[in-house]
Amino acid sequence: MGEGGEKAERGKLPVNEQGNLMTATGDENLKDIFHTIRITKTPAVINYGASWCHVCNQILPTFWELSKKFPKLSFVYADIDECPETTQNIRYTPTFHFYRDGERVDEMFGGGDERLHDRLWLHS
């Protein structure tokens, strides 16, 4: 990792070159992201995790790397502790929600680099 701060902090993602990767900073920000996904119908994946979740921290660097391989998808990381109101129905971390045409079309629970890659490929 370079000096540009590319290494992901615990529970946070660096911005990638395509600009299709972001971290929700709170409930209002996540609501705005949902609104943008619905209005623009941008294909997206939201990774719900937590800083205390070991599996979440393991898959976060992969999530970042995959965002560069799938530039047409928007990648969002939302920490359930930072967005408690909008993530109250999330029961497992990590949980991935996939959106197409403004609607949630799929979800995946747990980690697994290959599983995540394959699911992203399916939805890209």
Side-chain angles (χ1 to χ4, degrees):
M1 303 280 169
E3 287 183 293
E6 289 182 357
K7 188 175 181 187
E9 292 177 42
R10 189 178 171 130
K12 298 288 180 202
L13 289 168
V15 174
N16 68 7
E17 295 79 28
Q18 288 87 12
N20 65 327
L21 177 70
M22 65 189 90
T23 299
T25 57
D27 283 313
E28 288 306 313
N29 181 234
L30 188 54
K31 286 177 189 176
D32 289 343
I33 291 168
F34 287 139
H35 180 72
T36 300
I37 289 170
R38 278 193 298 278
I39 297 302
T40 63
K41 300 187 183 307
T42 302
V45 56
I46 300 180
N47 172 359
Y48 297 97
S51 60
W52 44 262
C53 169
H54 181 69
V55 176
C56 299
N57 289 321
Q58 281 184 318
I59 202 155
L60 209 51
T62 301
F63 190 68
W64 179 64
E65 286 298 323
L66 289 171
S67 73
K68 294 189 273 183
K69 292 183 181 180
F70 296 95
K72 293 181 181 171
L73 283 171
S74 289
F75 285 70
V76 179
Y77 175 76
D79 187 307
I80 61 169
D81 294 325
E82 307 247 341
C83 308
E85 180 186 325
T86 48
T87 63
Q88 62 187 342
N89 294 322
I90 301 298
R91 297 288 172 240
Y92 306 99
T93 57
T95 292
F96 297 87
H97 285 173
F98 300 86
Y99 291 82
R100 186 180 305 140
D101 295 325
E103 300 293 325
R104 190 172 91 198
V105 293
D106 197 6
E107 67 184 349
M108 181 181 112
F109 303 108
D113 295 357
E114 282 188 46
R115 284 179 63 222
L116 181 57
H117 176 276
D118 292 348
R119 198 65 67 94
L120 289 166
W121 179 83
L122 180 68
H123 293 291
S124 64

